[in-house]
Amino acid sequence: MSQTPPSAAENLPGGTDPTVPTPAFSPLYQQIKGLILQSLEAGEWKPGETIPSEIELAARFRVSQGTVRKAIDELAAENLLVRRQGKGTFVATHAEHHVQYRFLKLVPDNGDVNSEGPAQRDIVDCKRLRASADVARALALRTGDPVLQVRRVLSFAGVPTILDDMWLPGGPFKGLTAERLADYHGPMYALFETEFGVRMVRAEEKIRAVLPDATQSRLLAVTPTTPLLSVERVAYTYNDVPMELRRGLYRTDSHHYRNALS
Amino acid sequence: MSQTPPSAAENLPGGTDPTVPTPAFSPLYQQIKGLILQSLEAGEWKPGETIPSEIELAARFRVSQGTVRKAIDELAAENLLVRRQGKGTFVATHAEHHVQYRFLKLVPDNGDVNSEGPAQRDIVDCKRLRASADVARALALRTGDPVLQVRRVLSFAGVPTILDDMWLPGGPFKGLTAERLADYHGPMYALFETEFGVRMVRAEEKIRAVLPDATQSRLLAVTPTTPLLSVERVAYTYNDVPMELRRGLYRTDSHHYRNALS
DNA sequence: CAGTGGTCTAGACCACACT
DNA sequence: GTGTGGTCTAGACCACTGC
């Protein structure tokens, strides 16, 4: 490649940043990881594509293959990259990922995700408005900044099961409309990748049990006394930048939220 | 693999066993991992203790330090071992783990786990009975096998917040009584480790929103129309052997279940 | 066949903890 | 200082993929 730092192996212990009192030792492979991350961020390699081979990257960064390997190992462990023996290392994507809905942990009680066929998506609402205080806080915006609000219902086997309210920062998602959403067949995060260059990398969820209000119970076709799972998700791109706030209401009469602990 | 000591490095690639159609290739470090796992299982090193140094293990298994390192890396990633630079590698434990309740994901809404002080534990009930069909299935027992049933309430800052019903296989937990539970101060899984040699290694949870019955609402001091989180957990020891079924009811009026996705 | 990631080794050196 | 885990290297070889 062109102008990346000539050699990453020279700036180790001190001296590079005299403003920091603590030595802040950083292993070489962490620095390489940071450089790869920068390239991912900059879009040098797009989701689904391969990145250069380990040998190429080792030459580019002037380090050994083992050091590159360890950097890639960590990025793969964080699901930013996917290794495929004999083929290469690929940028993770939400599209064509065979497992649709990478972040959705609601599964049918029988455990078979494929038993229901594809989900039915209904966009209920999609409008631009100004961020309320709590939405702004979650998205690291200021109160009043423009945001996009989307409400949709997911139905499995004809049963409305998930009611999602989403808030997206207006800037990165300029041009997103209800039609665009309705016409797109595939995971929403895949659309975000291909159309807006926004790649969701991780998320945090806060889960509660709640009762629906009148509108919610109507949209999910349940009585107002039906307990529902409230799942508040903040999804992040690279560098822990929040890009979506999502408040989901899940019916759990024939599904459950599955979680693995270790 | 054959036996433990002599040499693990000789049965690798091909040609040695023409009877097997599928090569079933297994990397050396995976075999080493299996051997370490066996020692953990057998109790050669107890929770909280160090295991032999990488160099010692390398000598013992007749492989290089790097191979042992990779095996330990995976075991550490699965939270079976804990590495501490300069000190050694330790067997993970639920006791003195600084983070009490390693598997509990319910946190106060302010996010500060320490803001409430230690939880108050009240054993409501503890009795032996015969496993029902669903309990037996979860614990890989037969219907009618002896099990221990425990019901307890956890209170934070004086507020009853968690109602747990637990079922434990009668065999491994012979001798567990209500007094024993009440007298023990510390995580329950720590008691299981020290008193019964049962180490919980991972768990799976199924989460739903439910309404409490009369008894449950009384024990949690909520009205019968208060939606609660139902958390059904199966906890496993080594080799995926289930050792506990736990049905928890969580109040989520000032707490939430926190989950990280990636 | 060549190219990719995956494994394994051996040795050097660094950072950290204890004594 | 000694011993631990942590980093880095260089090279050899293996397994998988696709031309």
Side-chain angles (χ1 to χ4, degrees):
Chain A
M1 270 305 298
S2 53
Q3 56 152 347
T4 47
S7 173
E10 293 160 3
N11 52 353
L12 258 218
T16 50
D17 191 351
T19 67
V20 177
T22 54
F25 163 73
S26 174
L28 231 199
Y29 77 88
Q30 287 285 3
Q31 303 177 33
I32 303 303
K33 182 183 170 186
L35 293 175
I36 297 176
L37 217 33
Q38 283 181 23
S39 293
L40 284 171
E41 237 171 293
E44 183 175 337
W45 317 301
K46 303 244 174 306
E49 296 179 359
T50 73
I51 68 172
S53 75
E54 296 178 349
I55 292 174
E56 282 179 86
L57 289 173
R60 166 164 159 181
F61 297 132
R62 314 287 192 95
V63 297
S64 78
Q65 187 186 358
T67 301
V68 171
R69 172 172 293 274
K70 183 145 190 180
I72 293 178
D73 277 345
E74 290 207 351
L75 292 168
E78 295 167 19
N79 294 312
L80 294 181
L81 296 177
V82 177
R83 320 189 75 144
R84 283 201 265 254
Q85 182 172 152
K87 300 177 72 173
T89 301
F90 298 74
V91 182
T93 173
H94 289 267
E96 71 152 340
H97 193 278
H98 271 211
V99 181
Q100 299 214 331
Y101 305 116
R102 216 181 89 195
F103 285 172
L104 179 59
K105 312 209 71 171
L106 194 74
V107 298
D109 285 342
N110 65 27
D112 183 7
V113 183
N114 299 318
S115 64
E116 302 172 315
Q120 178 187 336
R121 291 174 272 266
D122 294 297
I123 306 295
V124 178
D125 196 20
C126 176
K127 61 190 173 199
R128 314 196 151 267
L129 39 75
R130 306 204 156 269
S132 62
D134 56 335
V135 168
R137 182 159 21 85
L139 293 179
L141 302 174
R142 291 183 189 161
T143 303
D145 280 355
V147 294
L148 204 72
Q149 183 180 17
V150 180
R151 165 169 280 196
R152 65 109 180 247
V153 174
L154 282 185
S155 301
F156 298 102
V159 180
T161 305
I162 296 180
L163 170 59
D164 275 328
D165 283 301
M166 290 162 274
W167 290 265
L168 306 166
F173 288 97
K174 191 174 303 183
L176 182 57
T177 62
E179 288 71 36
R180 206 70 166 277
L181 284 169
D183 291 349
Y184 190 83
H185 293 276
M188 191 163 285
Y189 290 162
L191 182 148
F192 292 173
E193 274 178 10
T194 56
E195 299 297 315
F196 302 94
V198 175
R199 302 192 266 295
M200 300 302 190
V201 151
R202 66 176 192 90
E204 292 172 357
E205 295 190 331
K206 298 180 180 180
I207 305 171
R208 289 186 174 77
V210 300
L211 294 178
D213 64 26
T215 307
Q216 292 164 342
S217 66
R218 178 171 48 77
L219 287 168
L220 284 176
V222 296
T223 68
T225 59
T226 304
L228 299 171
L229 230 49
S230 160
V231 180
E232 179 174 306
R233 175 195 298 174
V234 179
Y236 299 85
T237 356
Y238 299 117
N239 288 102
D240 291 328
V241 177
M243 284 302 253
E244 181 202 51
L245 168 64
R246 184 184 293 208
R247 295 202 173 117
L249 274 189
Y250 297 180
R251 281 180 59 172
T252 56
D253 41 354
S254 61
H255 293 71
H256 61 269
Y257 186 103
R258 171 177 290 181
N259 201 23
L261 311 179
S262 65
Chain B
M1 288 294 310
S2 53
Q3 277 290 3
T4 38
S7 174
E10 291 163 3
N11 51 353
L12 258 216
T16 51
D17 191 352
T19 68
V20 178
T22 53
F25 165 74
S26 174
L28 233 199
Y29 77 88
Q30 286 284 4
Q31 303 178 34
I32 303 303
K33 182 182 171 188
L35 293 175
I36 297 175
L37 217 34
Q38 283 182 22
S39 293
L40 285 170
E41 237 171 290
E44 183 176 338
W45 318 300
K46 303 244 173 304
E49 295 179 1
T50 73
I51 70 173
S53 75
E54 296 179 349
I55 292 174
E56 281 179 87
L57 289 174
R60 167 164 161 181
F61 297 131
R62 315 288 191 92
V63 299
S64 79
Q65 187 185 358
T67 301
V68 171
R69 172 174 293 276
K70 184 143 191 183
I72 294 179
D73 278 345
E74 291 207 352
L75 291 169
E78 296 167 19
N79 295 311
L80 294 181
L81 296 177
V82 178
R83 320 190 76 146
R84 282 200 265 251
Q85 179 170 154
K87 300 177 72 176
T89 301
F90 297 75
V91 182
T93 174
H94 289 268
E96 71 152 341
H97 194 277
H98 271 211
V99 181
Q100 300 215 329
Y101 305 114
R102 216 182 89 196
F103 284 172
L104 180 59
K105 312 209 71 172
L106 194 74
V107 298
D109 285 342
N110 65 29
D112 183 5
V113 183
N114 299 318
S115 64
E116 301 172 316
Q120 178 187 336
R121 290 176 272 266
D122 294 297
I123 305 294
V124 177
D125 195 17
C126 176
K127 62 189 172 200
R128 310 193 155 271
L129 40 75
R130 304 204 158 270
S132 62
D134 56 334
V135 168
R137 184 160 19 86
L139 294 179
L141 302 174
R142 291 182 189 162
T143 304
D145 280 354
V147 295
L148 204 73
Q149 183 180 18
V150 180
R151 164 168 282 193
R152 65 108 180 248
V153 174
L154 282 184
S155 300
F156 297 103
V159 180
T161 305
I162 297 181
L163 170 60
D164 275 328
D165 284 302
M166 289 163 274
W167 291 265
L168 306 166
F173 289 98
K174 191 175 302 184
L176 183 57
T177 63
E179 289 71 36
R180 206 73 167 276
L181 285 168
D183 290 350
Y184 190 84
H185 293 277
M188 190 163 287
Y189 290 162
L191 183 148
F192 292 172
E193 275 179 10
T194 57
E195 302 295 316
F196 303 93
V198 175
R199 303 192 267 296
M200 300 304 191
V201 151
R202 67 177 191 89
E204 292 172 357
E205 294 190 332
K206 298 180 180 180
I207 306 171
R208 288 185 173 78
V210 301
L211 295 178
D213 64 26
T215 306
Q216 291 164 343
S217 66
R218 178 171 49 79
L219 287 168
L220 285 174
V222 297
T223 67
T225 59
T226 305
L228 299 171
L229 230 50
S230 160
V231 180
E232 179 175 307
R233 175 196 299 172
V234 178
Y236 299 85
T237 356
Y238 299 116
N239 287 102
D240 293 329
V241 177
M243 284 301 254
E244 182 203 50
L245 168 63
R246 184 184 292 211
R247 295 203 173 115
L249 274 189
Y250 297 0
R251 281 180 59 172
T252 56
D253 41 354
S254 61
H255 294 70
H256 61 269
Y257 186 103
R258 171 177 292 182
N259 201 24
L261 312 178
S262 64

